[in-house]
Amino acid sequence: MKLVIAIVHDEDSYDVIDSLTEKGFQVTKLATTGGFLKSGNTTLIIGVEKDKVEEVLDIIKNVCKTRKTVISAPSPVMGTSGVFVSNPMEVTIGGATVFVIDVDKFEKF
Ligand code: 2BA
């Protein structure tokens, strides 16, 4: 068995969950926060048999879109003069960041 951990955009999360559950996969949704943007995203955990991993990844790939966002990074000027100068920086987020890990043991009690 494998555990798929997929970090997706909040706006894609319900479509991904619907597509996965329609195909019979079980999903747990976690509300998470990206370390870089410090904004919300969604982490999905999906326990799945090894031979079904590609099907899960295809569903995630088909639903999740890349997005661009502009953030205000602090300018180096700030450190030397104390004056805040906004330094816009474009960041591309997702489609999805996915980890697939081995599961040693899976039980339901
Ligand atoms: P964030 O950490 O908020 O990152 C959002 C986006 O900002 C990233 O998109 C990436 O394009 C950019 N970014 C991240 N760190 C950066 C840096 N040090 N310098 C410049 N740009 C940077 P994605 O790569 O698509 O990642 C989306 C979210 O997936 C991340 O949100 C984070 O929550 C998660 N993630 C991505 N890679 C990860 C990893 N190796 N381990 C754990 N979580 C990860």
Side-chain angles (χ1 to χ4, degrees):
M1 186 168 214
K2 299 279 187 181
L3 188 66
V4 178
I5 301 172
I7 303 160
V8 304
H9 200 282
D10 285 346
E11 285 172 23
D12 292 329
S13 63
Y14 287 102
D15 288 342
V16 181
I17 292 168
D18 285 348
S19 301
L20 288 167
T21 52
E22 273 167 24
K23 295 281 181 185
F25 296 110
Q26 293 202 32
V27 188
T28 296
K29 174 181 180 290
L30 306 170
T32 47
T33 304
F36 185 68
L37 296 179
K38 312 272 188 302
S39 64
N41 53 27
T42 297
T43 298
L44 303 175
I45 56 174
I46 307 140
V48 64
E49 292 307 323
K50 195 177 170 185
D51 62 343
K52 296 279 185 186
V53 168
E54 286 309 314
E55 191 181 345
V56 167
L57 299 188
D58 283 345
I59 291 169
I60 295 169
K61 222 178 286 175
N62 287 337
V63 175
C64 295
K65 317 262 180 312
T66 57
R67 293 173 173 82
K68 288 185 192 300
T69 188
V70 176
I71 60 166
S72 262
S75 158
V77 175
M78 196 177 156
T80 52
S81 68
V83 178
F84 179 80
V85 179
S86 176
N87 201 8
M89 176 180 153
E90 189 176 73
V91 173
T92 302
I93 311 165
T97 299
V98 180
F99 303 88
V100 180
I101 56 178
D102 289 325
V103 174
D104 284 342
K105 199 171 181 181
F106 171 67
E107 290 191 45
K108 287 187 179 181
F109 299 107

